[in-house]
Amino acid sequence: MTVHVALLRAINVGGAGMLAMADLRAICEGLGFGDAKTYIQSGNVLFRSDLPPPEAAAKLGAALGEKLGKAPGVMVRNAGQLQAIAENAPFPDAKTNLLHVVFLPNAAPADALEKLVAPDGEEVHVAGHEIYVHYPNGSGRSKLKLPALKPGTARNLNTVRKLAELAQAMVADEA
């Protein structure tokens, strides 16, 4: 079975989309996903499944929609994809807590950067289904405007690396 990592959008952020991680694990197990494990409270879950990432995302999204009354948006990457995302992060001089990866449900549009407004020196790099954003002054104070980010969910590079490490450990456990 393939190890997947699901990244949920708008879960446990600012009091919206409250979901206990124990409930998230139980939902995954109820869907037949094996070895479900969560990481921190922001909607990250690792699991095993034979489904391709888009199908796993749709299945989990539907189940979460039933539980929450509205599907939160689910982006799923397999262990290898997540490892490559972590390893290929641009902006090598950026502090890892200030470099975010925005996971998108589909590939970023070709014109993703056309409406970019980055007044605080933010740097942006588009890479397929991900957009990397370096927030030199932190994301909380940023006035960055980039419509292409809206359907996605962001994790800082520290979190992405930890999720990749956990996913690779699950892969190694299976071998």
Side-chain angles (χ1 to χ4, degrees):
M1 282 195 178
T2 301
V3 174
H4 295 291
V5 179
L7 304 119
L8 310 183
R9 184 176 183 275
I11 291 293
N12 298 341
V13 178
M18 299 306 291
L19 178 67
M21 295 299 98
D23 291 343
L24 178 56
R25 286 190 300 275
I27 289 168
C28 287
E29 290 164 5
L31 294 171
F33 298 160
D35 298 328
K37 299 171 177 48
T38 56
Y39 176 70
I40 63 177
Q41 295 293 314
S42 61
N44 306 300
V45 61
L46 301 96
F47 58 87
R48 296 179 195 279
S49 174
D50 287 329
L51 294 175
E55 289 180 34
K59 194 172 180 180
L60 182 55
L64 289 167
E66 286 180 26
K67 168 82 174 163
L68 300 171
K70 179 183 175 191
V74 178
M75 284 28 96
V76 174
R77 305 296 187 263
N78 67 38
Q81 290 170 323
L82 196 64
Q83 185 68 36
I85 291 164
E87 290 174 355
N88 294 317
F91 316 120
D93 296 330
K95 292 181 182 177
T96 54
N97 64 319
L98 300 177
L99 177 52
H100 290 207
V101 180
V102 180
F103 295 87
L104 302 171
N106 301 301
D111 64 350
L113 298 180
E114 284 184 14
K115 295 182 181 176
L116 173 66
V117 176
D120 297 317
E122 296 90 349
E123 299 174 282
V124 179
H125 177 78
V126 177
H129 285 70
E130 287 75 38
I131 298 177
Y132 297 87
V133 182
H134 172 221
Y135 295 96
N137 300 319
S139 63
R141 293 183 286 259
S142 175
K143 303 288 189 241
L144 176 83
K145 289 183 178 49
L146 185 58
L149 300 177
K150 188 167 176 57
T153 188
R155 302 295 186 274
N156 72 36
L157 189 57
N158 291 331
T159 299
V160 173
R161 286 179 174 166
K162 183 61 178 181
L163 288 168
E165 174 188 319
L166 293 170
Q168 290 302 323
M170 286 177 70
V171 168
D173 285 347
E174 191 172 58

